[in-house]
Amino acid sequence: MKFAIIGSRGQLGQDLIRTSPSKVELTTFTHADFDITDREDVFDFLAGEEKFDIVINTAAFHKTDLCEDEPQKAFVVNAVGVKNLVEACEKAGSVLVHISTDYVFDGGKLSKKEPYYEDDIPNPINIYGISKLAGENVVKNYLEKYYIVRSSSLYGVAGASGKGGNFPYTILRKAKAGEKLKVVDDIYMVPTHTYDLAQGIWRLVLEEHPYGIYHITHTGYCSWYEFAKKILELANIEAFIEPVSHKEFRTKARRPLWSVLGTKKGIDLGPWVEGLKKFIECINVEDL
Ligand SMILES: NC(=O)c1ccc[n+]([C@@H]2O[C@H](COP(=O)([O-])OP(=O)(O)OC[C@H]3O[C@@H](n4cnc5c(N)ncnc54)[C@H](OP(=O)(O)O)[C@@H]3O)[C@@H](O)[C@H]2O)c1
């Protein structure tokens, strides 16, 4: 089976490569190879002479605050770019696996502390989420053979280039530099290790689950403060860390206070702490 991975230098892209089963024939595309917003390039690479059974798109404009300042770019990458991929996949007969986000939800389930499932109705409250939902709608309304995989709060060994790393790296670097940490304790999510997510995506596709929307994250949930505490504990680093309310941090984009995903479709990645343990074992904290 021939697979293409788009965004292959990213943290999820790297872990999709690292975890790819031997029976899979893999072609990887970085941002330098082509930009998903360039329709002609997308068709050349995905629907030209070489065609793929499955295309996995991890590329996105996902700097949440910057999306508020650059809504046009957010829609061009996260929706128009996705339309290009959809049309190329349609032409080539490929299945599209498109990665989306917990930020398509508004956080209203905080009062019940109940996860968002695949059949919950999205209502994004920032431009990033709105543009990602637009991308999802393009996929599901223009293509028959698709998987939309929503996940949350990703971290992987490669780090997200667009965000200059990821949350665990930031916490570890600041703690090692002796900075006092203030971390939000009233926003909840499921931290998800891209290594495990990548394995979940391979399962989804290779076990031929029915097409549609899937939530794939670890299980359980925590606040960003609880996540930071666990990162420091597992890395054995002492730091001064203070829980604060999101009201203390003014950010351009509003964020859902609760974006915990759950699944009714059977693929979960096990407890979030286990994913974090694996991550800490894989990195060299000394070198950060
Ligand atoms: N990070 C999170 O916390 C999070 C949470 C939930 C869902 N997601 C979703 O998960 C997916 C993967 O996230 P990630 O954390 O692995 O991101 P990442 O590390 O930033 O990787 C994304 C990759 O896509 C490339 N890319 C960006 N724009 C592109 C374009 N227009 N054309 C072609 N390639 C482009 C980037 O290259 P350059 O860096 O060179 O631009 C980067 O290598 C995204 O769809 C994101 O929306 C992320």
Side-chain angles (χ1 to χ4, degrees):
M1 252 184 160
K2 291 175 78 170
F3 281 75
I5 296 177
I6 300 168
S8 61
R9 279 239 177 90
Q11 49 186 356
L12 178 57
Q14 286 287 302
D15 277 334
L16 281 164
I17 296 170
R18 211 166 283 146
T19 56
S20 62
S22 53
K23 63 178 171 181
V24 156
E25 194 185 319
L26 212 57
T27 302
T28 59
F29 296 110
T30 68
H31 201 165
D33 291 320
F34 69 86
D35 192 304
I36 62 168
T37 65
D38 186 322
R39 190 181 154 78
E40 212 173 302
D41 271 1
V42 168
F43 272 73
D44 283 352
F45 281 98
L46 300 182
E49 267 170 39
E50 190 173 17
K51 295 191 177 56
F52 303 95
D53 299 299
I54 303 199
V55 173
I56 306 179
N57 175 41
T58 73
F61 180 45
H62 61 78
K63 288 181 181 168
T64 308
D65 291 319
L66 205 53
C67 285
E68 298 296 314
D69 289 332
E70 299 182 36
Q72 244 161 324
K73 180 172 175 189
F75 281 96
V76 169
V77 177
N78 297 337
V80 180
V82 175
K83 174 108 184 321
N84 293 336
L85 298 176
V86 161
E87 288 181 0
C89 285
E90 176 78 37
K91 185 174 174 210
S94 314
V95 176
L96 177 63
V97 181
H98 177 64
I99 313 304
S100 193
T101 172
D102 53 331
Y103 276 16
V104 296
F105 295 110
D106 61 14
K109 277 187 154 186
L110 173 66
S111 51
K112 294 191 226 156
K113 293 236 156 118
E114 190 186 274
Y116 284 102
Y117 294 107
E118 288 89 348
D119 54 2
D120 278 310
I121 296 172
N123 181 37
I125 58 170
N126 55 44
I127 293 295
Y128 168 62
I130 293 168
S131 66
K132 288 291 283 187
L133 182 60
E136 284 191 9
N137 285 335
V138 171
V139 174
K140 87 176 183 202
N141 292 318
Y142 282 78
L143 203 57
E144 272 175 31
K145 298 191 294 180
Y146 71 86
Y147 295 101
I148 291 169
V149 174
R150 295 188 187 129
S151 194
S152 75
S153 309
L154 300 185
Y155 61 92
V157 172
S161 48
K163 288 184 173 169
N166 57 37
F167 185 79
Y169 281 142
T170 304
I171 291 295
L172 290 169
R173 285 193 185 114
K174 287 188 170 184
K176 281 184 64 184
E179 280 185 44
K180 285 186 178 176
L181 301 167
K182 282 185 173 188
V183 185
V184 170
D185 197 26
D186 53 3
I187 298 186
Y188 302 90
M189 43 76 218
V190 194
T192 298
H193 186 181
T194 49
Y195 188 88
D196 294 310
L197 174 59
Q199 287 181 316
I201 293 171
W202 288 121
R203 267 186 63 197
L204 174 72
V205 172
L206 296 173
E207 290 173 4
E208 296 185 25
H209 287 256
Y211 297 129
I213 297 177
Y214 288 78
H215 289 181
I216 307 185
T217 62
H218 284 288
T219 52
Y221 67 87
C222 59
S223 71
W224 289 99
Y225 170 75
E226 289 164 332
F227 185 30
K229 288 271 285 181
K230 194 48 96 178
I231 292 164
L232 295 170
E233 180 194 313
L234 292 174
N236 224 354
I237 291 183
E238 297 266 331
F240 177 87
I241 176 164
E242 185 189 344
V244 293
S245 164
H246 69 279
K247 290 176 189 147
E248 267 196 46
F249 280 99
R250 283 195 156 268
T251 54
K252 271 263 158 109
R254 280 200 297 158
R255 285 166 168 76
L257 299 183
W258 173 268
S259 62
V260 174
L261 300 180
T263 184
K264 291 182 176 173
K265 294 189 171 179
I267 299 183
D268 74 55
L269 309 176
W272 68 264
V273 176
E274 296 306 313
L276 182 58
K277 277 185 195 161
K278 209 179 292 171
F279 173 78
I280 298 288
E281 280 163 17
C282 287
I283 62 171
N284 193 343
V285 177
E286 304 277 297
D287 289 348
L288 290 176

